Amino acid sequence: MLIKRFEDAQSYDAPNHWGVHGLRLQGFEEGGPTNQWVAFSQFLPGGGAGPDSTSFEKVYVVLDGEMTIEWDGRTEVLRAMDSCTIPPGQERRIENKSNHVCKMLVVMPYPPEK
């Protein structure tokens, strides 16, 4: 079992993101999860990501605030405790269009080894 304290979480920069501060809560450490990692992202008003896609599935869980997600000509707003699964290859764009910080968990598999 691995317990990590929030104050020990390491920050990271995600590609094609803006106005966001990401923290790695679990993953990439000895004794941590073996098939996925978990991030905590805080998106400032106007912050977002994309448009892009990944070769793997992701899960977004909005903890507080709201996040607008756009894909395939559709738009939805995720609010506190809403979640979505993004399948591999799905192009999407997300943006915090509110005036409040959006706090979100992101769960994704480790990147493929090269």
Side-chain angles (χ1 to χ4, degrees):
M1 179 180 300
L2 173 70
I3 295 174
K4 278 183 72 176
R5 304 291 179 197
F6 186 71
E7 58 267 15
D8 296 328
Q10 297 293 310
S11 64
Y12 71 96
D13 292 321
N16 202 22
H17 285 57
W18 65 93
V20 62
H21 180 71
L23 293 171
R24 187 172 292 117
L25 298 181
Q26 286 279 335
F28 298 98
E29 72 272 299
E30 184 72 30
T34 59
N35 58 1
Q36 79 273 326
W37 63 287
V38 180
F40 174 61
S41 298
Q42 299 175 84
F43 288 86
L44 296 174
D52 61 11
S53 65
T54 59
S55 61
F56 47 85
E57 156 181 288
K58 291 183 179 183
V59 174
Y60 293 161
V61 181
V62 174
L63 301 175
D64 190 37
E66 60 183 49
M67 182 61 69
T68 300
I69 184 166
E70 301 167 350
W71 78 104
D72 295 342
R74 296 184 58 189
T75 301
E76 290 284 341
V77 177
L78 302 178
R79 294 181 177 83
M81 301 314 296
D82 290 344
S83 61
C84 70
T85 300
I86 301 170
Q90 175 72 65
E91 185 169 298
R92 83 287 182 204
R93 182 181 188 282
I94 61 173
E95 185 176 353
N96 178 2
K97 295 184 178 182
S98 79
N99 287 332
H100 300 278
V101 173
C102 177
K103 298 176 181 178
M104 191 164 73
L105 284 179
V106 182
V107 181
M108 64 197 107
Y110 289 114
E113 292 188 32
K114 295 180 180 181

